[in-house]
Structures are given as structure tokens and as C-alpha cells.
Short mmCIF file of all heavy atoms in Angstrom, two decimals:
data_model
loop_
_atom_site.label_atom_id
_atom_site.label_comp_id
_atom_site.label_asym_id
_atom_site.label_seq_id
_atom_site.Cartn_x
_atom_site.Cartn_y
_atom_site.Cartn_z
N MET A 1 112.38 -131.74 -173.80
CA MET A 1 112.45 -132.89 -174.66
C MET A 1 111.50 -133.99 -174.20
O MET A 1 111.46 -134.37 -173.06
CB MET A 1 113.91 -133.42 -174.67
CG MET A 1 114.05 -134.71 -175.47
SD MET A 1 115.66 -135.42 -175.28
CE MET A 1 116.40 -134.77 -176.69
N GLU A 2 110.65 -134.40 -175.15
CA GLU A 2 109.67 -135.46 -174.91
C GLU A 2 110.53 -136.79 -174.63
O GLU A 2 111.29 -137.10 -175.46
CB GLU A 2 108.78 -135.60 -175.92
CG GLU A 2 107.66 -136.74 -175.68
CD GLU A 2 106.67 -136.80 -176.70
OE1 GLU A 2 106.22 -135.79 -177.30
OE2 GLU A 2 106.26 -137.98 -177.16
N GLU A 3 110.17 -137.53 -173.64
CA GLU A 3 110.88 -138.81 -173.38
C GLU A 3 110.11 -139.97 -174.00
O GLU A 3 108.89 -140.10 -173.72
CB GLU A 3 111.07 -138.93 -171.85
CG GLU A 3 111.88 -140.21 -171.50
CD GLU A 3 112.08 -140.29 -170.04
OE1 GLU A 3 112.82 -139.42 -169.50
OE2 GLU A 3 111.63 -141.24 -169.47
N ASN A 4 110.82 -140.77 -174.68
CA ASN A 4 110.27 -142.04 -175.21
C ASN A 4 110.96 -143.18 -174.55
O ASN A 4 112.00 -142.98 -173.88
CB ASN A 4 110.60 -142.11 -176.80
CG ASN A 4 109.88 -140.97 -177.47
OD1 ASN A 4 108.71 -140.85 -177.52
ND2 ASN A 4 110.70 -140.13 -178.13
N ARG A 5 110.46 -144.34 -174.74
CA ARG A 5 111.11 -145.49 -174.20
C ARG A 5 111.09 -146.62 -175.23
O ARG A 5 110.05 -146.82 -175.93
CB ARG A 5 110.42 -146.00 -173.00
CG ARG A 5 110.75 -145.24 -171.72
CD ARG A 5 110.47 -146.01 -170.43
NE ARG A 5 110.94 -145.26 -169.25
CZ ARG A 5 110.23 -144.54 -168.49
NH1 ARG A 5 108.98 -144.34 -168.76
NH2 ARG A 5 110.78 -143.88 -167.49
N ILE A 6 112.15 -147.29 -175.33
CA ILE A 6 112.18 -148.53 -176.18
C ILE A 6 112.38 -149.67 -175.23
O ILE A 6 113.51 -149.85 -174.77
CB ILE A 6 113.33 -148.51 -177.24
CG1 ILE A 6 113.08 -147.23 -178.14
CG2 ILE A 6 113.33 -149.74 -178.07
CD1 ILE A 6 114.24 -147.01 -179.12
N TYR A 7 111.36 -150.34 -174.85
CA TYR A 7 111.43 -151.45 -173.88
C TYR A 7 112.34 -152.51 -174.42
O TYR A 7 112.17 -152.96 -175.57
CB TYR A 7 110.13 -151.84 -173.42
CG TYR A 7 109.34 -150.84 -172.73
CD1 TYR A 7 108.35 -150.04 -173.33
CD2 TYR A 7 109.53 -150.62 -171.39
CE1 TYR A 7 107.73 -149.02 -172.68
CE2 TYR A 7 108.88 -149.65 -170.66
CZ TYR A 7 107.98 -148.86 -171.33
OH TYR A 7 107.34 -147.90 -170.63
N GLY A 8 113.25 -153.10 -173.61
CA GLY A 8 114.04 -154.17 -173.92
C GLY A 8 115.32 -153.79 -174.57
O GLY A 8 116.23 -154.64 -174.85
N ILE A 9 115.57 -152.47 -174.82
CA ILE A 9 116.84 -152.00 -175.44
C ILE A 9 117.64 -151.43 -174.25
O ILE A 9 117.31 -150.42 -173.58
CB ILE A 9 116.61 -150.95 -176.53
CG1 ILE A 9 115.75 -151.42 -177.65
CG2 ILE A 9 117.93 -150.38 -176.99
CD1 ILE A 9 116.31 -152.58 -178.40
N ASN A 10 118.76 -152.07 -173.96
CA ASN A 10 119.66 -151.57 -172.97
C ASN A 10 120.88 -150.88 -173.52
O ASN A 10 121.31 -151.29 -174.60
CB ASN A 10 120.15 -152.77 -172.05
CG ASN A 10 119.00 -153.41 -171.37
OD1 ASN A 10 118.08 -152.81 -170.84
ND2 ASN A 10 118.99 -154.77 -171.33
N CYS A 11 121.32 -149.85 -172.94
CA CYS A 11 122.50 -149.10 -173.38
C CYS A 11 123.36 -148.65 -172.24
O CYS A 11 122.85 -148.20 -171.29
CB CYS A 11 121.99 -147.85 -174.17
SG CYS A 11 123.33 -146.80 -174.77
N ASP A 12 124.70 -148.86 -172.38
CA ASP A 12 125.63 -148.45 -171.29
C ASP A 12 126.48 -147.31 -171.79
O ASP A 12 127.54 -147.06 -171.16
CB ASP A 12 126.40 -149.63 -170.83
CG ASP A 12 127.31 -150.26 -171.86
OD1 ASP A 12 127.33 -149.76 -172.99
OD2 ASP A 12 127.97 -151.20 -171.50
N VAL A 13 126.10 -146.59 -172.81
CA VAL A 13 126.90 -145.44 -173.25
C VAL A 13 126.40 -144.24 -172.45
O VAL A 13 125.41 -143.58 -172.85
CB VAL A 13 126.77 -145.24 -174.82
CG1 VAL A 13 127.54 -144.06 -175.37
CG2 VAL A 13 127.09 -146.50 -175.58
N ALA A 14 127.15 -143.94 -171.40
CA ALA A 14 126.72 -142.94 -170.48
C ALA A 14 126.65 -141.49 -171.03
O ALA A 14 125.84 -140.69 -170.59
CB ALA A 14 127.63 -142.92 -169.20
N ASN A 15 127.42 -141.21 -172.00
CA ASN A 15 127.42 -139.83 -172.63
C ASN A 15 126.46 -139.57 -173.74
O ASN A 15 126.54 -138.55 -174.45
CB ASN A 15 128.80 -139.45 -172.97
CG ASN A 15 129.41 -140.14 -174.27
OD1 ASN A 15 129.04 -141.34 -174.38
ND2 ASN A 15 130.21 -139.49 -175.04
N CYS A 16 125.52 -140.47 -173.93
CA CYS A 16 124.48 -140.30 -175.05
C CYS A 16 123.28 -139.64 -174.42
O CYS A 16 122.89 -140.00 -173.30
CB CYS A 16 124.06 -141.69 -175.57
SG CYS A 16 122.83 -141.56 -176.90
N VAL A 17 122.75 -138.64 -175.12
CA VAL A 17 121.55 -137.94 -174.63
C VAL A 17 120.31 -138.78 -174.41
O VAL A 17 119.41 -138.47 -173.73
CB VAL A 17 121.26 -136.72 -175.56
CG1 VAL A 17 122.35 -135.71 -175.63
CG2 VAL A 17 120.80 -137.23 -176.91
N HIS A 18 120.36 -139.89 -175.15
CA HIS A 18 119.14 -140.88 -175.05
C HIS A 18 119.30 -141.91 -173.90
O HIS A 18 118.38 -142.69 -173.75
CB HIS A 18 118.98 -141.59 -176.42
CG HIS A 18 118.81 -140.67 -177.54
ND1 HIS A 18 117.65 -139.88 -177.67
CD2 HIS A 18 119.54 -140.42 -178.64
CE1 HIS A 18 117.76 -139.15 -178.78
NE2 HIS A 18 118.91 -139.51 -179.34
N ASN A 19 120.35 -141.93 -173.20
CA ASN A 19 120.63 -142.82 -172.14
C ASN A 19 120.02 -142.23 -170.77
O ASN A 19 120.46 -141.21 -170.32
CB ASN A 19 122.12 -143.07 -171.99
CG ASN A 19 122.44 -144.23 -171.01
OD1 ASN A 19 121.86 -144.24 -169.91
ND2 ASN A 19 123.21 -145.14 -171.43
N LYS A 20 119.13 -143.05 -170.17
CA LYS A 20 118.54 -142.63 -168.90
C LYS A 20 119.06 -143.66 -167.85
O LYS A 20 118.98 -144.79 -167.97
CB LYS A 20 117.08 -142.73 -168.99
CG LYS A 20 116.37 -142.43 -167.65
CD LYS A 20 114.90 -142.53 -167.87
CE LYS A 20 114.18 -142.21 -166.46
NZ LYS A 20 112.70 -142.44 -166.56
N ASP A 21 119.56 -143.09 -166.70
CA ASP A 21 119.92 -143.89 -165.58
C ASP A 21 121.02 -144.85 -165.92
O ASP A 21 121.19 -145.85 -165.26
CB ASP A 21 118.85 -144.57 -164.91
CG ASP A 21 117.73 -143.58 -164.44
OD1 ASP A 21 118.10 -142.40 -164.03
OD2 ASP A 21 116.48 -143.93 -164.40
N GLY A 22 121.87 -144.62 -167.00
CA GLY A 22 122.99 -145.45 -167.28
C GLY A 22 122.62 -146.77 -168.00
O GLY A 22 123.55 -147.54 -168.16
N CYS A 23 121.35 -146.99 -168.30
CA CYS A 23 121.09 -148.24 -168.90
C CYS A 23 119.87 -148.25 -169.87
O CYS A 23 119.74 -149.17 -170.67
CB CYS A 23 120.87 -149.28 -167.87
SG CYS A 23 119.49 -149.01 -166.81
N GLU A 24 119.02 -147.28 -169.87
CA GLU A 24 117.74 -147.29 -170.57
C GLU A 24 117.79 -146.25 -171.77
O GLU A 24 118.16 -145.18 -171.58
CB GLU A 24 116.58 -146.93 -169.75
CG GLU A 24 115.24 -147.11 -170.31
CD GLU A 24 114.09 -146.70 -169.39
OE1 GLU A 24 114.33 -146.31 -168.26
OE2 GLU A 24 112.97 -146.83 -169.77
N CYS A 25 117.38 -146.83 -172.90
CA CYS A 25 117.33 -145.94 -174.11
C CYS A 25 116.04 -145.24 -174.18
O CYS A 25 114.94 -145.76 -174.14
CB CYS A 25 117.48 -146.79 -175.35
SG CYS A 25 117.50 -145.86 -176.92
N THR A 26 116.04 -143.92 -174.32
CA THR A 26 114.89 -143.10 -174.43
C THR A 26 114.59 -142.48 -175.82
O THR A 26 113.77 -141.61 -175.91
CB THR A 26 114.87 -141.95 -173.39
OG1 THR A 26 116.01 -141.11 -173.67
CG2 THR A 26 114.98 -142.53 -171.93
N ALA A 27 115.41 -142.99 -176.79
CA ALA A 27 115.17 -142.50 -178.16
C ALA A 27 113.88 -143.10 -178.70
O ALA A 27 113.42 -144.13 -178.28
CB ALA A 27 116.31 -142.93 -179.08
N GLY A 28 113.19 -142.32 -179.61
CA GLY A 28 111.96 -142.82 -180.16
C GLY A 28 112.12 -143.96 -181.11
O GLY A 28 111.33 -144.82 -181.27
N LYS A 29 113.30 -144.12 -181.62
CA LYS A 29 113.72 -145.22 -182.50
C LYS A 29 115.21 -145.34 -182.50
O LYS A 29 115.90 -144.33 -182.11
CB LYS A 29 113.20 -145.15 -183.94
CG LYS A 29 113.80 -143.91 -184.64
CD LYS A 29 113.34 -143.86 -186.13
CE LYS A 29 114.18 -142.91 -186.86
NZ LYS A 29 114.06 -143.02 -188.33
N ILE A 30 115.77 -146.43 -182.90
CA ILE A 30 117.19 -146.51 -183.04
C ILE A 30 117.55 -147.00 -184.40
O ILE A 30 116.77 -147.76 -185.07
CB ILE A 30 117.81 -147.46 -181.97
CG1 ILE A 30 117.22 -148.88 -182.05
CG2 ILE A 30 117.72 -146.88 -180.58
CD1 ILE A 30 117.96 -149.91 -181.23
N ASP A 31 118.68 -146.50 -184.90
CA ASP A 31 119.19 -146.94 -186.25
C ASP A 31 120.58 -147.54 -185.95
O ASP A 31 121.42 -146.86 -185.47
CB ASP A 31 119.30 -145.78 -187.17
CG ASP A 31 117.88 -145.24 -187.60
OD1 ASP A 31 117.11 -146.07 -187.92
OD2 ASP A 31 117.74 -144.02 -187.56
N VAL A 32 120.77 -148.77 -186.36
CA VAL A 32 122.07 -149.49 -186.26
C VAL A 32 122.47 -149.83 -187.64
O VAL A 32 121.71 -150.34 -188.44
CB VAL A 32 121.90 -150.74 -185.41
CG1 VAL A 32 123.16 -151.58 -185.26
CG2 VAL A 32 121.38 -150.39 -184.05
N CYS A 33 123.77 -149.53 -187.89
CA CYS A 33 124.29 -149.93 -189.27
C CYS A 33 125.65 -150.60 -189.21
O CYS A 33 126.26 -150.54 -188.09
CB CYS A 33 124.36 -148.65 -190.06
SG CYS A 33 125.55 -147.57 -189.52
N CYS A 34 126.03 -151.15 -190.21
CA CYS A 34 127.35 -151.75 -190.39
C CYS A 34 128.44 -150.65 -190.49
O CYS A 34 128.25 -149.66 -191.06
CB CYS A 34 127.37 -152.57 -191.62
SG CYS A 34 128.84 -153.62 -191.89
N THR A 35 129.67 -150.91 -189.85
CA THR A 35 130.66 -149.91 -189.85
C THR A 35 131.56 -150.00 -191.10
O THR A 35 132.41 -149.13 -191.30
CB THR A 35 131.45 -150.07 -188.52
OG1 THR A 35 132.06 -151.34 -188.46
CG2 THR A 35 130.66 -149.71 -187.35
N CYS A 36 131.48 -151.07 -191.87
CA CYS A 36 132.41 -151.23 -192.92
C CYS A 36 131.67 -151.06 -194.30
O CYS A 36 130.41 -151.12 -194.29
CB CYS A 36 133.10 -152.59 -192.90
SG CYS A 36 132.00 -154.02 -192.87
N THR A 37 132.40 -150.87 -195.38
CA THR A 37 131.77 -150.57 -196.65
C THR A 37 131.57 -151.79 -197.50
O THR A 37 130.79 -151.78 -198.46
CB THR A 37 132.57 -149.47 -197.44
OG1 THR A 37 133.93 -150.01 -197.54
CG2 THR A 37 132.57 -148.17 -196.71
N SER A 38 132.30 -152.87 -197.26
CA SER A 38 132.15 -154.05 -198.01
C SER A 38 130.83 -154.81 -197.62
O SER A 38 130.46 -154.96 -196.52
CB SER A 38 133.29 -154.98 -197.76
OG SER A 38 133.12 -156.30 -198.26
N PRO A 39 130.15 -155.31 -198.69
CA PRO A 39 128.84 -155.96 -198.37
C PRO A 39 129.06 -157.34 -197.64
O PRO A 39 128.15 -157.85 -197.10
CB PRO A 39 128.17 -156.14 -199.79
CG PRO A 39 129.26 -155.86 -200.78
CD PRO A 39 130.35 -155.02 -200.02
N ASP A 40 130.24 -157.85 -197.77
CA ASP A 40 130.55 -159.16 -197.08
C ASP A 40 130.97 -158.98 -195.63
O ASP A 40 131.17 -159.92 -194.95
CB ASP A 40 131.67 -159.82 -197.79
CG ASP A 40 131.26 -160.17 -199.27
OD1 ASP A 40 130.04 -160.43 -199.52
OD2 ASP A 40 132.11 -160.21 -200.18
N CYS A 41 131.09 -157.73 -195.14
CA CYS A 41 131.52 -157.44 -193.82
C CYS A 41 130.43 -156.85 -192.98
O CYS A 41 130.07 -155.71 -193.18
CB CYS A 41 132.78 -156.45 -193.85
SG CYS A 41 133.32 -155.77 -192.26
N CYS A 42 129.99 -157.61 -192.04
CA CYS A 42 128.91 -157.08 -191.14
C CYS A 42 129.23 -157.52 -189.73
O CYS A 42 128.28 -157.66 -188.92
CB CYS A 42 127.55 -157.62 -191.59
SG CYS A 42 126.95 -156.88 -193.12
N ASP A 43 130.50 -157.67 -189.38
CA ASP A 43 130.85 -158.10 -188.05
C ASP A 43 130.73 -156.98 -187.00
O ASP A 43 130.63 -157.30 -185.77
CB ASP A 43 132.26 -158.71 -188.01
CG ASP A 43 132.29 -160.05 -188.81
OD1 ASP A 43 131.24 -160.62 -188.96
OD2 ASP A 43 133.49 -160.45 -189.13
N GLU A 44 130.81 -155.79 -187.45
CA GLU A 44 130.80 -154.62 -186.55
C GLU A 44 129.74 -153.64 -186.87
O GLU A 44 129.46 -153.40 -188.03
CB GLU A 44 132.10 -153.91 -186.58
CG GLU A 44 133.32 -154.74 -186.05
CD GLU A 44 134.60 -153.94 -186.00
OE1 GLU A 44 134.61 -152.75 -186.01
OE2 GLU A 44 135.63 -154.65 -186.11
N THR A 45 129.01 -153.24 -185.84
CA THR A 45 127.85 -152.34 -186.03
C THR A 45 128.09 -151.06 -185.15
O THR A 45 128.82 -151.05 -184.27
CB THR A 45 126.50 -152.93 -185.76
OG1 THR A 45 126.57 -153.32 -184.36
CG2 THR A 45 126.24 -154.15 -186.67
N GLU A 46 127.32 -150.00 -185.47
CA GLU A 46 127.30 -148.82 -184.56
C GLU A 46 125.82 -148.26 -184.53
O GLU A 46 125.08 -148.43 -185.47
CB GLU A 46 128.28 -147.75 -185.12
CG GLU A 46 127.84 -147.11 -186.40
CD GLU A 46 128.81 -146.03 -186.93
OE1 GLU A 46 129.68 -145.55 -186.12
OE2 GLU A 46 128.72 -145.64 -188.11
N CYS A 47 125.61 -147.60 -183.49
CA CYS A 47 124.26 -147.00 -183.28
C CYS A 47 124.31 -145.59 -183.93
O CYS A 47 125.07 -144.68 -183.41
CB CYS A 47 123.92 -146.87 -181.81
SG CYS A 47 122.33 -145.99 -181.49
N LYS A 48 123.61 -145.35 -185.00
CA LYS A 48 123.56 -144.10 -185.64
C LYS A 48 122.64 -143.11 -184.92
O LYS A 48 122.68 -141.93 -185.13
CB LYS A 48 123.07 -144.26 -187.09
CG LYS A 48 123.97 -145.02 -187.96
CD LYS A 48 125.22 -144.36 -188.11
CE LYS A 48 125.42 -143.99 -189.61
NZ LYS A 48 126.65 -143.19 -189.87
N THR A 49 121.91 -143.56 -183.90
CA THR A 49 121.03 -142.68 -183.11
C THR A 49 121.84 -142.00 -182.03
O THR A 49 121.36 -140.99 -181.50
CB THR A 49 119.92 -143.53 -182.49
OG1 THR A 49 119.36 -144.24 -183.53
CG2 THR A 49 118.84 -142.69 -181.87
N PHE A 50 123.07 -142.44 -181.73
CA PHE A 50 123.86 -141.80 -180.70
C PHE A 50 124.04 -140.27 -180.88
O PHE A 50 124.34 -139.84 -182.04
CB PHE A 50 125.23 -142.49 -180.63
CG PHE A 50 126.30 -141.77 -179.78
CD1 PHE A 50 126.17 -141.95 -178.41
CD2 PHE A 50 127.17 -140.83 -180.35
CE1 PHE A 50 127.16 -141.25 -177.53
CE2 PHE A 50 127.99 -140.15 -179.46
CZ PHE A 50 128.00 -140.38 -178.13
N LYS A 51 123.87 -139.62 -179.90
CA LYS A 51 124.05 -138.06 -179.84
C LYS A 51 124.70 -137.78 -178.53
O LYS A 51 124.16 -138.06 -177.47
CB LYS A 51 122.73 -137.37 -180.01
CG LYS A 51 122.92 -135.85 -180.16
CD LYS A 51 121.55 -135.22 -180.46
CE LYS A 51 121.73 -133.78 -180.58
NZ LYS A 51 120.44 -133.08 -180.76
N ALA A 52 125.92 -137.24 -178.54
CA ALA A 52 126.66 -136.90 -177.32
C ALA A 52 125.97 -135.83 -176.50
O ALA A 52 125.37 -134.90 -177.07
CB ALA A 52 128.05 -136.51 -177.66
N ARG A 53 126.04 -135.98 -175.17
CA ARG A 53 125.58 -134.95 -174.31
C ARG A 53 126.58 -133.74 -174.38
O ARG A 53 127.75 -133.87 -174.57
CB ARG A 53 125.64 -135.38 -172.85
CG ARG A 53 124.63 -136.49 -172.47
CD ARG A 53 124.73 -136.85 -171.03
NE ARG A 53 124.07 -138.07 -170.75
CZ ARG A 53 122.81 -138.24 -170.41
NH1 ARG A 53 122.08 -137.14 -170.35
NH2 ARG A 53 122.29 -139.44 -170.22
N LYS A 54 125.98 -132.53 -174.23
CA LYS A 54 126.78 -131.33 -174.27
C LYS A 54 127.34 -131.03 -172.90
O LYS A 54 126.83 -131.24 -171.91
CB LYS A 54 126.01 -130.18 -174.77
CG LYS A 54 125.69 -130.34 -176.25
CD LYS A 54 124.92 -129.20 -176.78
CE LYS A 54 124.67 -129.42 -178.29
NZ LYS A 54 123.99 -128.29 -178.91
#
């Protein structure tokens, strides 16, 4: 797998395949979206780039 770096993006989700050394995101890009369906609700987000380690 080719390693990418997104400088300035910190991640503490240890079981993500894009997490290096417990803090650095190595995904080529990240997609973050709202978790609710209402257009007036944007208080919670999730990383759609997350992929669990096997």
C-alpha cells in the first residue's frame, strides 16, 4: 500500500488502516460528513474515509 500523508490532520482512531503511530493520517484524502439527515443539523460529523484494520 502506498503511503500518503495529510499534514496537520491528527487522528486517534487506532483501529483505522490510515492511522500511523496512533496519531497521523496516511489517507490520500479524507471525507467528513454530517451524521444526521436534517439540513438544519450539523452538530455531529463522521469520517467517511475510516476503514477498520483486519
Side-chain angles (χ1 to χ4, degrees):
M1 171 186 267
E2 181 179 320
E3 185 175 295
N4 298 298
R5 283 199 171 100
I6 302 175
Y7 293 98
I9 302 297
N10 298 320
C11 177
D12 63 0
V13 181
N15 69 326
C16 181
V17 298
H18 302 295
N19 187 311
K20 178 180 177 186
D21 299 330
C23 65
E24 183 179 8
C25 182
T26 60
K29 67 175 189 163
I30 57 170
D31 293 313
V32 177
C33 69
C34 187
T35 59
C36 56
T37 57
S38 170
D40 297 328
C41 171
C42 288
D43 291 343
E44 296 182 24
T45 60
E46 70 179 345
C47 179
K48 294 296 242 178
T49 308
F50 170 80
K51 186 175 179 183
R53 293 182 195 271
K54 291 184 179 183

